[in-house]
Structures are given as C-alpha cells and as structure tokens.
C-alpha cells in the first residue's frame, strides 16, 4: 500500500549529482520541494513545483521518445515479432512528437491537473505562444532521420538481430543498488552477454552530443552489473556508447580504478547533499532560502522554475 511520507527517500543518481552542481535551487525544487505535489491536497507551492518539474524541452522530449521506441523495437526483435522498417519507425517517432506539441498547445488544462500524464514543452510554456522556434524544429527534424538511420546500422542493433549468440537481460531487472543504505538508481538502455566472446555488454543510446560524463555513467552501470551477477573481473564487461547523431560508437574497457573513481564521486557527492539537510534521519531539507540560485542567466533561461525564481 502506498504510504504518504512528509519527506522523500534519500537516493543518489548521476543526474541528481549533476543537478546539484548546476543549480542548488533547482536541486531543492526537483528533489525536495516538489515532493507530494501530485497529491490533490498538497500545498500550492508543492503542486506548482511538481508541475514545473514535469516540463520538458524539445531536445529532451525527442530523446525520451527515441529511447522508448528503440526499446520497443528491440523487444519486437527478441519476441520474433514484426520489425518496423526505418520509415515506419520514423513516422512513429514523428507521431509521438506531434502529440507532445498538441498536448502543450491545446491541452494545457489537462497537463495542469495531471502533469505526469501529459507533455508540456518549455518552448511553449515560457513563450506563451503556440509556435515552436523554427530553427529548433528543423534541428529535430534533421536529427530524426539521422538517428533512425544510424540506429538500424548500429553495432548494438546488429548484435540484437544476431540474437542466437546473445543472452539479453531485461531492462526491468535494473532498478537500484545500495551503498550505506542509500539507493543508487540505475537505468540501463541495453544489457546482454556475448556468448561467443564470453563478455557482458552495456549499451547506452545517445541522441545528443558526447559528454565527459558518459564514461562515468557507464562505469556506475558496470559496478552494478559486476555486483549483481558476481562477475569475476571488470575486464569481462565492455561498455559502449552508441552516438546516434554521428553514427559512431565508442567502447571502453574499464579498469578497477574506474570503479574506485565512481565510488569516490558518490561519497563526495553524498556529503555535499547531506549539507543541505536539516534532519538527515528524515531527509528533511533546510528551508528553500538555503539553496542558492544560479547566477548565470544562460542556465536560468533553460530552467523549468523561472516563474518561481523570477515571479
């Protein structure tokens, strides 16, 4: 039975860590002051904060739709179902993107009441218009065709098609691991074992540009996989980023030091997070005034919480 708690459970993820480094005020809103905002009897600030938290932007919405439909396509292959061709997958992604635009422009009243179940685009919400920037629309349209083409020709999808030599692990099997009683959330796009090479492969699909964080993210996944399946050596795990914009992939062979580094990052990050707690035993945060605002207007321009920070 679902239990309503006054404060959220303390957890950790790389995205949470990055949010803390980017803007502490956004970190407070995302992980504390939006808590319980989905409840009808929540206070007005929690409801407003939760609603704003659910705003997405065109690039993020595109990436989310692509990831979801790639997952569905891979499941169709593994279940020996009909495989959509490139054109069919492209049209399905386009349909989802159009639905997000329609929900943002014509169904705002539904999003206001059920923000988790409807899409609201940042570009629409804060421009107060029903038009998307033409340059962004063109960029996403170009990315759509390139991304689908490169997915079908990717190394990892070829492995999926060659499934008789692979053992696939269900994405639902990956939830979290624990360190010192704190959940560390894990979201893996694709994991399988190459039975011929006797190697585990962790794949992350990227619809944007490469980042310095990509290796750290996969090192965290490798640490989890090694623990969960009692894999003897980190050298038995290959981590791979599939960059769908460029049509390239990068593989890393991690060393034990990579795992030590990501554990060290977690420890330092958790100490920083706990500095913003009034009562660590309850994960009760300090008042919002103790979460400083970002001073870079370029960061604020992309933020969901503009109407809270600059009413």
């Amino acid at each position: 039975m679902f239990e309503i708690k006054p404060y959220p459970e303390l957890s950790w993820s790389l995205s949470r860590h990055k949010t803390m480094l980017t803007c502490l005020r956004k970190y407070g809103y995302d992980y504390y002051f939006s808590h319980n905002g989905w409840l009808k009897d929540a206070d007005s600030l929690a409801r407003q904060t939760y609603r704003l938290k659910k705003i997405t932007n065109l690039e993020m919405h595109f990436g989310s739709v692509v990831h979801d439909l790639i997952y569905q396509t891979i499941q169709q292959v593994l279940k020996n179902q009909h495989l959509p061709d490139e054109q069919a997958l492209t049209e399905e992604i386009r349909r989802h993107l159009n639905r997000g635009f329609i929900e943002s422009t014509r169904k705002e009243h539904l999003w206001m009441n059920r923000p988790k179940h409807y899409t609201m685009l940042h570009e629409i919400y804060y421009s107060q218009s029903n038009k998307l920037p033409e340059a962004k629309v063109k960029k996403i349209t170009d990315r759509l065709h390139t991304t689908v083409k490169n997915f079908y020709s990717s190394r990892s999808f070829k492995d999926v098609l060659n499934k008789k030599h692979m053992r696939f692990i269900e994405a639902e099997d990956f939830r979290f691991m624990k360190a010192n009683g704190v959940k560390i959330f894990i979201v893996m796009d694709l994991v399988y074992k190459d039975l011929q090479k006797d190697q585990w492969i962790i794949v992350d699909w990227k619809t944007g540009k490469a980042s310095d964080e990509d290796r750290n993210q996969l090192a965290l996944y490798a640490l989890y996989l090694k623990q969960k399946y009692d894999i003897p050596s980190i050298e038995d795990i290959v981590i791979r980023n599939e960059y769908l914009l460029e049509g390239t992939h990068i593989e890393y062979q991690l060393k034990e030091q990579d795992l030590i580094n990501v554990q060290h990052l977690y420890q330092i990050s958790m100490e920083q997070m706990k500095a913003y707690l009034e009562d660590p035993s309850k994960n009760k945060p300090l008042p919002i005034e103790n979460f400083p605002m970002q001073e870079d207007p370029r960061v604020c321009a992309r933020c969901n919480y503009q109407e809270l920070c600059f009413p």
Side-chain angles (χ1 to χ4, degrees):
M1 188 172 180
F2 178 71
E3 180 184 358
I4 298 173
K5 297 181 179 180
Y7 307 108
E9 181 181 18
L10 180 61
S11 62
W12 192 87
S13 65
L14 270 175
S15 60
R16 179 171 181 154
H17 171 71
K18 288 193 284 187
T19 299
M20 180 181 66
L21 296 183
T22 302
C23 177
L24 281 163
R25 181 62 60 91
K26 182 180 189 300
Y27 171 77
Y29 285 142
D30 270 0
Y31 295 100
Y32 289 101
F33 301 101
S34 59
H35 181 63
N36 285 339
W38 54 87
L39 301 175
K40 289 185 177 180
D41 59 351
D43 66 67
S44 59
L45 177 62
R47 293 185 69 184
Q48 182 183 11
T49 307
Y50 177 72
R51 195 161 53 236
L52 295 176
K53 177 183 177 180
K54 293 300 177 182
I55 292 176
T56 187
N57 61 46
L58 200 51
E59 289 89 352
M60 290 176 62
H61 185 49
F62 172 73
S64 177
V65 168
V66 169
H67 274 79
D68 288 347
L69 291 177
I70 281 178
Y71 172 78
Q72 290 180 26
T73 302
I74 289 173
Q75 291 305 303
Q76 288 170 318
V77 173
L78 298 183
K79 294 174 182 178
N80 297 314
Q81 297 174 350
H82 172 71
L83 176 64
D85 59 21
E86 289 184 29
Q87 183 178 352
L89 183 58
T90 301
E91 289 305 314
E92 184 68 4
I93 294 172
R94 194 193 308 278
R95 189 175 67 81
H96 281 265
L97 294 175
N98 287 337
R99 186 175 69 186
F101 173 74
I102 290 169
E103 289 178 0
S104 298
T105 54
R106 303 179 198 171
K107 299 184 180 181
E108 183 179 2
H109 59 292
L110 297 176
W111 172 79
M112 291 286 286
N113 291 313
R114 302 181 70 198
K116 184 178 179 180
H117 300 280
Y118 292 90
T119 301
M120 175 54 69
L121 294 171
H122 189 284
E123 295 86 350
I124 298 294
Y125 188 79
Y126 279 111
S127 70
Q128 292 297 302
S129 77
N130 288 341
K131 290 186 177 181
L132 291 167
E134 288 185 15
K136 272 202 170 189
V137 172
K138 184 180 185 308
K139 180 173 75 171
I140 294 300
T141 302
D142 292 341
R143 283 188 178 187
L144 171 56
H145 295 283
T146 303
T147 295
V148 172
K149 177 177 177 293
N150 289 336
F151 163 66
Y152 275 90
S153 62
S154 67
R155 165 76 182 278
S156 299
F157 189 59
K158 289 177 181 176
D159 282 353
V160 171
L161 294 174
N162 188 29
K163 56 183 183 288
K164 66 180 180 180
H165 298 300
M166 308 294 162
R167 173 193 165 197
F168 290 88
I169 312 299
E170 279 296 318
E172 285 80 4
D173 288 348
F174 305 107
R175 291 285 186 259
F176 60 85
M177 60 182 176
K178 280 195 171 184
N180 301 319
V182 176
K183 288 181 180 177
I184 301 177
F185 283 100
I186 307 293
V187 182
M188 299 194 200
D189 290 341
L190 179 64
V191 181
Y192 56 95
K193 188 173 185 182
D194 186 323
L195 300 177
Q196 291 180 316
K197 296 181 179 179
D198 197 27
Q199 285 182 321
W200 294 83
I201 316 291
I202 302 174
V203 179
D204 200 50
W205 307 104
K206 295 293 184 185
T207 57
K209 295 181 179 178
S211 163
D212 293 338
E213 289 295 326
D214 295 347
R215 185 185 178 105
N216 265 345
Q217 181 182 16
L218 289 176
L220 180 66
Y221 297 168
L223 176 64
Y224 171 84
L225 195 71
K226 187 174 185 295
Q227 292 179 358
K228 182 174 177 66
Y229 289 94
D230 197 23
I231 299 171
S233 170
I234 191 62
E235 294 184 0
D236 296 328
I237 302 175
V238 174
I239 57 178
R240 181 188 302 150
N241 281 122
E242 290 277 9
Y243 294 103
L244 298 178
L245 270 184
E246 291 84 8
T248 59
H249 70 267
I250 297 178
E251 290 188 351
Y252 303 102
Q253 183 63 70
L254 296 177
K255 304 295 183 185
E256 287 294 336
Q257 188 61 44
D258 289 296
L259 303 188
I260 293 171
N261 290 345
V262 78
Q263 288 172 303
H264 187 56
L265 171 67
Y266 160 77
Q267 291 165 354
I268 293 174
S269 178
M270 280 304 304
E271 287 303 312
Q272 292 174 311
M273 290 177 183
K274 289 177 180 178
Y276 294 92
L277 296 179
E278 181 178 302
D279 186 343
S281 66
K282 298 178 180 177
N283 195 34
K284 178 182 178 181
L286 293 167
I288 189 63
E289 296 78 21
N290 293 273
F291 292 77
M293 290 170 58
Q294 169 63 253
E295 296 182 357
D296 186 343
R298 293 171 298 179
V299 175
C300 295
R302 301 190 297 269
C303 183
N304 290 1
Y305 301 109
Q306 291 177 36
E307 73 179 43
L308 287 175
C309 293
F310 311 106

